[in-house]
């Protein structure tokens, strides 16, 4: 199996080779006497540049310089540029003297200084590109990790909300059955059957993020059938569901939670009972769900209650600001809970 060449070595060799070719083009363009030794020296200096910057990279990796704070990285970049450029200049001088005979030149010191300046610029650019590349990669990785963490937190929060909803519902349903055990065993057995249907549905809801409104209505009908046994004529149930709304997706157990909230905090507080009316329709790009129940807003709306707070949290986590939730009270002893969920043109819920 052929070992894959890392992107570092491709860029490393390509960069230094490009610098060598560019220098040769300038030399040929402006020099009056082209000598073969210039190309030999230039090629050797290219190899020296590849070698010394590879060693610099090994030093950076070995001492985890990229993991240091930004201030220390900048300090290392400047210091290493000075040191490595001096070493590269000395290596170039030795190579030049080895291939070309040294000459007595009164202007040698300015030439050496100029050679160091060129080496400094080249190493500085190399360092800058190397650190900038890894800084960008590190920043992108941190953003990706943060996004994954936020996604995981949202998923865990949704699961936590669900684990609160189901026991909350179960205990209320069992409380309803408790009233019937001695009073009417036949109805109690019917209530247990309804409860088994609901428990099966609630357990299945743990594994899904959304479900069809039609399926949610089946759960709500089972729940209301159970409550109807408890309240008898005190509970009046009405449905107003448009056909095109049935296939729309909603958070599982959300509708049941809101219906339960209306009965527990509204209708059950009234001696004469009341009405619970469920409506659903599609308006443009939204699924609209209204739950109307008899009661007072201050009784139905409890900002610390889990049913309301949990529903708000679920909608916020799943749809952000695209979904809307509100509870309104009216003077005729009616409370309406409104849920507005965005949908795509194909009928699925926007997430």
């Amino acid at each position: 199996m052929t070992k894959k060449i890392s992107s570092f070595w491709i860029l490393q060799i390509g960069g230094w080779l490009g610098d060598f070719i560019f220098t040769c083009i300038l030399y040929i363009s402006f020099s009056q006497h082209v000598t073969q030794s210039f190309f030999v020296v230039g090629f050797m200096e290219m190899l020296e540049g590849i070698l010394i910057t590879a060693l610099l990279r090994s030093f950076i990796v070995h001492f985890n310089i990229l993991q240091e704070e930004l201030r220390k990285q900048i300090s290392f970049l400047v210091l290493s540029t000075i040191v490595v450029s001096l070493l590269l200049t000395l290596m170039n001088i030795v190579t030049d003297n080895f291939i070309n005979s040294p000459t007595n030149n009164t202007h040698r010191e300015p030439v050496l200084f100029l050679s160091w300046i060129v080496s400094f610029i080249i190493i500085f650019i190399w360092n800058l590109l190397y650190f900038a590349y890894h800084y960008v990669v590190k920043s992108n990785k941190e953003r990706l990790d943060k996004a994954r963490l936020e996604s995981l937190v949202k998923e865990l929060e949704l699961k936590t909300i669900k684990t609160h909803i189901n026991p909350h519902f179960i205990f209320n349903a069992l409380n309803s059955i408790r009233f019937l055990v001695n009073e009417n065993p036949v109805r109690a057995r019917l209530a247990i059957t309804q409860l088994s249907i609901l428990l099966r549905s609630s357990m299945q809801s743990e594994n899904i993020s959304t479900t069809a409104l039609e399926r949610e209505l089946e759960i709500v009908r089972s729940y209301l059938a159970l409550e109807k046994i408890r309240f008898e004529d005190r509970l009046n149930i009405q449905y107003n569901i448009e056909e095109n709304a049935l296939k729309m997706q909603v958070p599982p157990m959300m509708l049941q939670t809101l219906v339960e909230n209306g009965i527990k905090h509204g209708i059950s507080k009234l001696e004469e009972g009341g009405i619970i009316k469920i409506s659903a329709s599609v308006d443009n790009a939204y699924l609209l769900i209204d739950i109307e129940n008899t009661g007072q807003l201050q009784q139905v709306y409890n900002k610390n209650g889990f049913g309301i707070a949990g529903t708000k949290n679920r909608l916020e986590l799943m749809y952000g600001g695209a979904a809307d939730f509100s509870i309104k009270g009216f003077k005729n002893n009616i409370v309406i809970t409104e849920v507005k969920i965005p949908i795509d043109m194909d009928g699925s819920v926007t997430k």
Side-chain angles (χ1 to χ4, degrees), residues 16 41-42 44-55 83-99 108 112 115-116 119 123:
W16 282 103
V41 171
M44 294 299 296
E45 290 178 350
M46 179 193 73
L47 295 179
E48 291 166 357
I50 293 174
L51 174 63
I52 199 167
T53 49
L55 292 174
V83 173
V84 172
S85 62
L86 285 172
L87 290 174
L88 181 60
T89 301
L90 291 175
M91 293 171 67
N92 291 344
I93 291 172
V94 171
T95 300
D96 186 47
N97 289 336
F98 178 77
I99 295 175
R108 189 168 182 78
L112 289 176
S115 178
W116 174 72
S119 296
I123 299 301

Side-chain angles (χ1 to χ4, degrees), residues 154 311-323:
K154 285 186 177 184
T311 300
K312 284 186 174 181
N313 288 338
R314 293 178 77 185
L315 293 172
E316 176 63 28
L317 288 171
M318 295 180 71
Y319 311 112

Side-chain angles (χ1 to χ4, degrees), residues 217-281:
L217 286 171
E218 291 177 4
I219 297 173
V220 170
R221 286 190 175 95
S222 296
Y223 170 77
L224 289 176
L226 181 62
E227 293 290 58
K228 182 68 174 177
I229 296 173
R230 174 187 169 193
F231 287 99
E232 297 182 332
D233 294 337
R234 294 175 56 213
L235 178 60
N236 187 359
I237 304 168
Q238 298 178 13
Y239 295 95
N240 183 20
I241 311 296
E242 292 185 1
E243 187 70 23
N244 59 348
L246 292 175
K247 301 301 180 183
M248 300 302 168
Q249 297 289 306
V250 296
M253 302 301 293
M254 180 195 72
L255 186 58
Q256 183 276 329
T257 302
L258 297 177
V259 170
E260 178 185 356
N261 186 78
I263 291 178
K264 181 179 178 182
H265 299 290
I267 295 173
S268 66
K269 304 292 184 182
L270 304 173
E271 184 177 349
E272 69 279 11
I275 299 173
I276 184 113
K277 181 179 179 181
I278 303 171
S279 302
S281 61

Side-chain angles (χ1 to χ4, degrees), residues 56 59-60 63-81 127 131 135 138:
L56 174 59
F59 185 91
I60 293 172
F63 290 98
N64 292 321
I65 304 299
L66 295 172
Q67 306 304 320
E68 299 289 344
E69 60 183 19
L70 185 60
R71 180 178 58 83
K72 291 184 178 180
Q73 290 188 40
I74 294 174
S75 299
F76 176 85
L77 186 150
V78 175
L79 181 61
S80 64
T81 299
N127 253 333
F131 277 86
Y135 180 79
K138 183 180 179 182

Side-chain angles (χ1 to χ4, degrees), residues 103-120:
T103 57
N104 294 324
N105 193 336
T106 56
H107 301 290
R108 189 168 182 78
E109 289 184 0
V111 171
L112 289 176
F113 179 75
L114 181 61
S115 178
W116 174 72
I117 292 297
V118 172
S119 296
F120 180 89

Side-chain angles (χ1 to χ4, degrees), residues 62 164 227 330 345:
H62 180 75
H164 279 80
E227 293 290 58
F330 298 90
M345 296 304 294

Side-chain angles (χ1 to χ4, degrees), residues 180-193 229:
L180 297 174
V181 170
N182 296 324
E183 186 177 306
N184 193 324
V186 175
R187 289 186 176 181
R189 285 195 295 270
L190 178 59
I192 292 173
T193 301
I229 296 173

Side-chain angles (χ1 to χ4, degrees), residues 118-325:
V118 172
S119 296
F120 180 89
I121 293 173
I122 292 174
I123 299 301
F124 179 77
I125 293 174
W126 186 96
N127 253 333
L128 193 63
L129 291 174
Y130 185 82
F131 277 86
Y133 170 79
H134 284 281
Y135 180 79
V136 172
V137 169
K138 183 180 179 182
S139 298
N140 289 337
K141 185 178 182 300
E142 289 176 350
R143 281 196 293 268
L144 182 60
D145 291 342
K146 183 179 178 181
R148 288 175 177 171
L149 179 61
E150 289 176 352
S151 177
L152 178 61
V153 168
K154 285 186 177 184
E155 183 180 351
L156 291 175
E157 287 180 353
L158 283 173
K159 288 183 177 179
T160 301
I161 290 170
K162 286 183 178 181
T163 57
H164 279 80
I165 288 176
N166 291 335
H168 178 69
F169 155 71
I170 292 169
F171 290 132
N172 278 278
L174 288 173
N175 192 49
S176 299
I177 294 174
R178 183 174 62 87
F179 284 103
L180 297 174
V181 170
N182 296 324
E183 186 177 306
N184 193 324
V186 175
R187 289 186 176 181
R189 285 195 295 270
L190 178 59
I192 292 173
T193 301
Q194 295 291 344
L195 178 58
S196 67
I197 296 173
L198 291 168
L199 288 176
R200 189 181 302 110
S201 299
S202 64
M203 291 174 65
Q204 291 173 348
S205 72
E206 293 294 328
N207 301 318
I208 56 176
S209 59
T210 62
T211 186
L213 178 62
E214 185 175 19
R215 176 58 181 157
E216 273 293 282
L217 286 171
E218 291 177 4
I219 297 173
V220 170
R221 286 190 175 95
S222 296
Y223 170 77
L224 289 176
L226 181 62
E227 293 290 58
K228 182 68 174 177
I229 296 173
R230 174 187 169 193
F231 287 99
E232 297 182 332
D233 294 337
R234 294 175 56 213
L235 178 60
N236 187 359
I237 304 168
Q238 298 178 13
Y239 295 95
N240 183 20
I241 311 296
E242 292 185 1
E243 187 70 23
N244 59 348
L246 292 175
K247 301 301 180 183
M248 300 302 168
Q249 297 289 306
V250 296
M253 302 301 293
M254 180 195 72
L255 186 58
Q256 183 276 329
T257 302
L258 297 177
V259 170
E260 178 185 356
N261 186 78
I263 291 178
K264 181 179 178 182
H265 299 290
I267 295 173
S268 66
K269 304 292 184 182
L270 304 173
E271 184 177 349
E272 69 279 11
I275 299 173
I276 184 113
K277 181 179 179 181
I278 303 171
S279 302
S281 61
V282 176
D283 181 20
N284 294 327
Y286 290 93
L287 170 64
L288 307 178
I289 301 175
D290 291 345
I291 301 169
E292 179 182 324
N293 66 270
T294 309
Q296 296 293 325
L297 181 60
Q298 60 269 25
Q299 293 176 329
V300 176
Y301 178 70
N302 179 7
K303 64 181 179 180
N304 297 319
F306 190 84
I308 300 300
T311 300
K312 284 186 174 181
N313 288 338
R314 293 178 77 185
L315 293 172
E316 176 63 28
L317 288 171
M318 295 180 71
Y319 311 112
D324 189 40
F325 177 88

